[in-house]
Amino acid sequence: MDVQVPALLPEIIFHILLLLPVDSLFRCKSVCRDWYKLITHETFVKAHLAKKNKCLFYKGNDVLNTCCVNDLLLANPMSKTSIHYPLIVDDFARLVGSANGLICIVQREGISIYNPTTRICNRVYGGFVAPVRHFQVAYGFGYESYTDDYKVVAVRKSNNKVKVYSLKTGIWKKVSDFSDANLLQDGVFLNGCIHWLDYLPNNMPNIVSFDLLKETYSQVTHPRYDEGEKRLDLGVLGDRLCVLSSYAKKALTDIWVMDEYDSWTNSLFIMYPQDHNGWARFWQTYCMLNDGKILLRFGYRVCLYDSNNSSLTFVNETDDCQWVCSFDESLVSPIGPGIRYRLRSWKVKSRMAEGSSSAI
């Protein structure tokens, strides 16, 4: 006797699939044509992104890895995935930033916009990449929600010429130049803007902001720092811009957070670990967890700071990282309209628990 199984309503299937991680959704696309259309639809992609499953993308010992933040904090070896990414061939490559699961990587011969979850990469050529030498260009990468576009901003340091690449159009265009800017670091993306520290000669650095929609510049007010020699770094904490002010002689870092009224609060200070070597500092923030803990970087190590008891714990598997970036697991494609011939994907190998192995 055949048993008739009632079909699930499309709304129920939608919400069930939303609960799955991206690698499982990739397999579900092969179930049937309807599921494929649902999973690849823009509405589903954005709904899945809203879950904000925070991950880390990092390079250590010339190997690229991804790891879910929650699993990493539990020291779960099954969560770590090594990525075979053949485009990185020399020390020139550097990670600029991330937006909605897409990561921007600058290389000697071009720029890669890469989704480490889906392992799909788009190569971007042009701008100021070649034959400009290492660190002669400051970059920024972010998402503009009004036009639903991802943009790369490139500022050539020698003459402050600025170009902006649009993923939606696949075109670089020139915009008005920065005036007297001295950008030593790549920018930080937040709320539709790229922010840089502008190091003026013999003066405190300014914070300059580039609006990705209007493609115009503005200045952001500075915190009132303590006296003394310091190193400043921009970051994002939660959904706020922050500045890390590090004092090597005091062996501490102040973290200033900007509120919605563009004023700054000295949110907390973190003492350096006792075994620090004198040159390292806290200089990158990755995420703030619901229990008040902050994931950030000290030197070339990722650490977890618990603001409730002022404790600092270094995270396993992240020693000697050349660069690290946080990103949200997503189905967002780095391939813009009209340039699908640049679509490339590569196999990845998962490092499972000791004694077992598997491939994704």
Side-chain angles (χ1 to χ4, degrees):
M1 177 179 177
D2 294 334
V3 177
Q4 296 295 325
V5 180
L8 294 175
L9 293 174
E11 295 83 2
I12 297 177
I13 296 176
F14 183 96
H15 289 289
I16 291 175
L17 292 178
L18 273 183
L19 301 175
L20 299 180
V22 170
D23 57 341
S24 298
L25 289 172
F26 258 54
R27 293 192 290 269
C28 289
K29 289 198 300 184
S30 302
V31 171
C32 63
R33 184 176 298 176
D34 289 340
W35 281 27
Y36 179 88
K37 291 181 178 179
L38 187 153
I39 293 170
T40 56
H41 195 276
E42 180 182 358
T43 301
F44 184 87
V45 171
K46 291 186 176 180
H48 192 271
L49 176 63
K51 293 170 54 181
K52 292 191 178 299
N53 182 25
K54 188 68 68 176
C55 301
L56 286 188
F57 178 69
Y58 57 98
K59 179 184 179 184
N61 299 321
D62 295 325
V63 177
L64 291 173
N65 298 286
T66 64
C67 187
C68 174
V69 166
N70 290 332
D71 291 339
L72 184 146
L73 297 178
L74 295 174
N76 180 0
M78 294 185 66
S79 65
K80 183 178 178 181
T81 302
S82 294
I83 301 175
H84 295 273
Y85 185 64
L87 297 181
I88 293 182
V89 294
D90 54 44
D91 292 336
F92 178 88
R94 75 182 193 263
L95 190 154
V96 173
S98 70
N100 292 347
L102 301 185
I103 290 177
C104 179
I105 305 172
V106 173
Q107 299 162 263
R108 188 177 301 278
E109 297 181 355
I111 296 171
S112 296
I113 301 178
Y114 179 56
N115 186 326
T117 310
T118 63
R119 281 86 68 185
I120 297 175
C121 181
N122 177 22
R123 293 301 305 274
V124 176
Y125 300 96
F128 300 122
V129 178
V132 176
R133 293 183 178 180
H134 190 33
F135 286 113
Q136 289 186 348
V137 179
Y139 290 92
F141 174 71
Y143 172 67
E144 203 293 291
S145 59
Y146 185 80
T147 59
D148 192 25
D149 195 7
Y150 295 84
K151 295 183 177 182
V152 179
V153 183
V155 184
R156 187 162 185 172
K157 298 176 184 179
S158 59
N159 54 17
N160 292 322
K161 298 293 184 181
V162 183
K163 290 185 178 180
V164 177
Y165 175 83
S166 164
L167 182 63
K168 178 169 284 189
T169 64
I171 297 173
W172 286 95
K173 73 173 183 178
K174 295 181 180 179
V175 299
S176 58
D177 301 341
F178 271 110
S179 59
D180 300 324
N182 185 22
L183 311 181
L184 301 184
Q185 301 171 338
D186 293 325
V188 173
F189 169 68
L190 179 67
N191 296 333
C193 295
I194 307 293
H195 305 274
W196 291 271
L197 283 174
D198 178 12
Y199 291 86
L200 298 177
N202 302 319
N203 201 348
M204 182 66 67
N206 289 324
I207 300 176
V208 293
S209 176
F210 181 81
D211 189 303
L212 291 176
L213 174 61
K214 300 177 182 178
E215 297 184 345
T216 56
Y217 314 105
S218 61
Q219 286 195 353
V220 179
T221 59
H222 255 283
R224 295 185 177 181
Y225 306 108
D226 291 342
E227 296 295 330
E229 184 178 350
K230 64 183 74 65
R231 286 289 305 271
L232 301 180
D233 297 280
L234 280 180
V236 175
L237 205 55
D239 58 351
R240 304 291 184 187
L241 188 68
C242 72
V243 177
L244 291 83
S245 177
S246 300
Y247 301 85
K249 292 183 179 179
K250 299 178 183 178
L252 66 83
T253 295
D254 285 329
I255 298 184
W256 295 81
V257 179
M258 174 177 276
D259 63 21
E260 57 185 323
Y261 303 105
D262 294 343
S263 61
W264 294 89
T265 302
N266 192 343
S267 179
L268 55 91
F269 70 90
I270 308 177
M271 300 299 300
Y272 288 10
Q274 294 183 353
D275 61 347
H276 74 93
N277 54 17
W279 65 266
R281 69 186 190 280
F282 293 104
W283 60 291
Q284 282 184 313
T285 54
Y286 301 117
C287 63
M288 176 180 285
L289 307 181
N290 295 331
D291 56 2
K293 296 177 181 177
I294 301 172
L295 196 66
L296 71 170
R297 188 174 185 181
F298 183 82
Y300 289 103
R301 297 183 291 176
V302 176
C303 54
L304 185 70
Y305 178 74
D306 190 339
S307 58
N308 298 311
N309 55 21
S310 301
S311 64
L312 188 69
T313 306
F314 286 97
V315 179
N316 293 331
E317 304 287 348
T318 59
D319 292 339
D320 195 27
C321 286
Q322 294 165 285
W323 35 256
V324 185
C325 182
S326 62
F327 70 96
D328 294 319
E329 183 186 55
S330 82
L331 291 160
V332 175
S333 173
I335 309 299
I339 52 174
R340 294 193 178 276
Y341 62 87
R342 291 181 184 167
L343 174 66
R344 293 184 181 182
S345 62
W346 293 283
K347 296 179 181 179
V348 301
K349 180 176 65 177
S350 295
R351 293 181 180 177
M352 309 302 288
E354 185 176 356
S356 64
S357 63
S358 176
I360 296 179

